[in-house]
């Protein structure tokens, strides 16, 4: 571009006269330098303007975040935010703790069942439990059932809770242990259910409260535009999003834990039937306690076999 301008100046000077052409030729470097300086100045100004615009946009975007909304809310809004944070912390603690607990229980249960059905007698099983302890529901159930059977056979019904036959006493003991294990497995699920059901409504209440105060502040100002309304109302809707973010993991975890507990307790109940048959008849159940499809055979399958 600059070369074209210089060429045009030289051509015009030659048409006027040789002296003018020589003067134009001498002035061409100065014109080119001045043009370069002007172009650089314009580019610098444009870059500075673009950078300032980007900085202003970033500040405007960052100022409309969650912390900005919480900072300008009143005591009720901040209290609701803190309450949602506490609910989220409690639910995630239960999710992680119960997840690790279920993994540990399943691993120990598989190990105990393999040792139980491979044992040659109940005395060997009892010695293993006394050595390693009853650290999971199957071992806990076996330990209490064996103790109840031996105690009633040796001493009889000394107390009212021990009345009845040995089979009836063992049945009551097994039922009590299963109830205890069920309560232990379901511990904490009430908190997850409560968080999943109430967190969306807490967030919705925060949204309604925020919109109410936003509309009050807007009504006190003049020249209301869509920009003045969209900002405060959009910030108030953040509370609904926070409520859903707290509730969804709690609901999913609750459903998952309920299903895992139902499957595990069904296996425990089937094992209780097999153990009761072995303790009351003095004979091992059919198939030597072998497993079918990865699970101990139930009492009904033994009878059909």
């Amino acid at each position: 571009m600059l070369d074209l301008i210089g060429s045009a100046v030289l051509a015009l000077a030659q048409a006027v006269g040789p002296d003018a052409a020589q003067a134009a030729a001498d002035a061409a470097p100065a014109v080119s330098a001045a043009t370069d300086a002007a172009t650089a100045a314009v580019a610098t100004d444009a870059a500075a303007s673009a950078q300032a615009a980007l900085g202003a946009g970033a500040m405007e975007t960052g100022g409309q975040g969650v912390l900005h909304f919480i900072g300008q809310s009143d005591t009720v809004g901040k209290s609701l935010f803190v309450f949602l944070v506490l609910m989220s912390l409690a639910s995630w603690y239960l999710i992680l703790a119960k997840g690790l607990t279920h993994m540990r229980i399943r691993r120990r249960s598989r190990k105990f069942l393999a040792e139980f059905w491979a044992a040659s007698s109940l005395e060997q099983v009892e010695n293993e439990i006394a050595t390693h302890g009853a650290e999971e529901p199957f071992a806990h159930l076996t330990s209490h059932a064996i103790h109840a059977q031996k105690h009633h056979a040796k001493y009889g019904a000394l107390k009212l809770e021990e009345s009845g036959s040995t089979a009836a006493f063992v049945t009551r003991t097994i039922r009590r242990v299963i109830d205890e294990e069920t309560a232990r497995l379901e511990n904490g699920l009430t908190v997850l259910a409560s968080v999943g059901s109430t967190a969306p409504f807490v967030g919705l209440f925060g949204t309604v409260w925020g919109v109410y105060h936003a509309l009050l502040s807007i009504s006190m100002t003049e020249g209301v535009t869509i920009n003045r309304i969209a900002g405060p109302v959009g910030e108030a809707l953040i509370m609904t999003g926070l409520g859903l973010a707290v509730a969804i993991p709690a609901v999913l975890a609750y459903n998952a834990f309920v299903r895992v507990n139902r499957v595990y307790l069904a296996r425990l109940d089937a094992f209780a039937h097999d153990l009761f048959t072995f303790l009351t008849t003095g004979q091992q159940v059919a198939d030597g306690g072998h497993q079918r499809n990865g699970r101990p055979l139930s009492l009904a399958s033994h009878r059909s076999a």
Side-chain angles (χ1 to χ4, degrees):
M1 184 67 182
L2 298 177
D3 294 338
L4 292 177
I5 295 175
S7 299
V9 172
L10 289 175
L12 181 60
Q14 289 176 0
V16 174
D19 296 336
Q22 182 62 34
D26 295 338
V31 173
S32 177
T35 306
D36 293 340
T39 304
V42 171
T44 303
D45 294 339
S49 300
Q51 185 176 3
L54 290 175
M59 291 178 62
E60 182 179 0
T61 303
Q64 301 297 327
V66 177
L67 296 180
H68 174 72
F69 167 68
I70 300 301
Q72 70 179 8
S73 61
D74 57 357
T75 304
V76 176
K78 293 178 181 178
S79 300
L80 292 175
F81 176 75
V82 172
F83 188 56
L84 286 175
V85 170
L86 293 177
M87 294 172 70
S88 178
L89 292 176
S91 62
W92 278 108
Y93 169 77
L94 289 174
I95 290 171
L96 296 177
K98 292 190 70 65
L100 294 176
T101 300
H102 278 287
M103 293 176 59
R104 183 173 64 252
I105 287 177
R106 286 199 300 268
R107 183 176 66 252
R108 292 178 178 177
S109 297
R110 287 194 297 267
K111 180 180 178 181
F112 172 78
L113 288 175
E115 294 176 352
F116 178 86
W117 295 118
S120 58
S121 63
L122 281 179
E123 286 74 15
Q124 182 179 353
V125 174
E126 192 174 9
N127 292 333
E128 289 292 334
I129 295 176
T131 302
H132 300 93
E135 299 179 347
E136 46 83 31
F138 287 90
H140 189 206
L141 176 65
T142 303
S143 175
H144 281 269
I146 293 175
H147 176 74
Q149 191 268 341
K150 288 187 175 181
H151 176 80
H152 198 276
K154 183 177 182 180
Y155 299 104
L158 299 178
K159 296 182 291 185
L160 184 61
E161 63 177 359
E162 300 172 355
S163 61
S165 62
T166 302
F169 181 64
V170 172
T171 300
R172 291 196 300 269
T173 302
I174 290 176
R175 186 184 297 114
R176 185 183 67 253
V177 173
I178 291 178
D179 292 340
E180 292 175 356
E181 295 299 333
T182 301
R184 186 176 292 109
L185 290 175
E186 294 180 352
N187 184 29
L189 294 183
T190 304
V191 176
L192 291 178
S194 301
V195 171
S197 59
T198 58
F201 296 102
V202 174
L204 183 60
F205 178 73
T207 296
V208 173
W209 190 262
V211 170
Y212 169 71
H213 283 278
L215 294 179
L216 282 181
S217 61
I218 290 172
S219 64
M220 297 178 182
T221 60
E222 297 180 357
V224 178
T225 60
I226 189 65
N227 293 330
R228 291 181 178 272
I229 299 176
V233 174
E235 291 175 354
L237 292 175
I238 293 176
M239 293 297 291
T240 301
L242 292 177
L244 293 176
V246 173
I248 291 175
V251 172
L252 294 178
Y254 174 81
N255 293 332
F257 287 138
V258 167
R259 182 185 178 278
V260 170
N261 290 343
R262 184 172 63 249
V263 174
Y264 188 84
L265 291 174
R267 295 181 57 192
L268 185 63
D269 185 71
F271 175 78
H273 281 77
D274 294 342
L275 181 63
F276 174 79
T277 302
F278 183 64
L279 290 174
T280 54
T281 61
Q283 297 179 355
Q284 193 168 358
V285 291
D287 294 333
H290 287 85
Q291 296 183 356
R292 181 181 299 171
N293 297 328
R295 297 183 181 179
L297 294 173
S298 63
L299 185 59
S301 62
H302 300 324
R303 290 175 178 174
S304 61

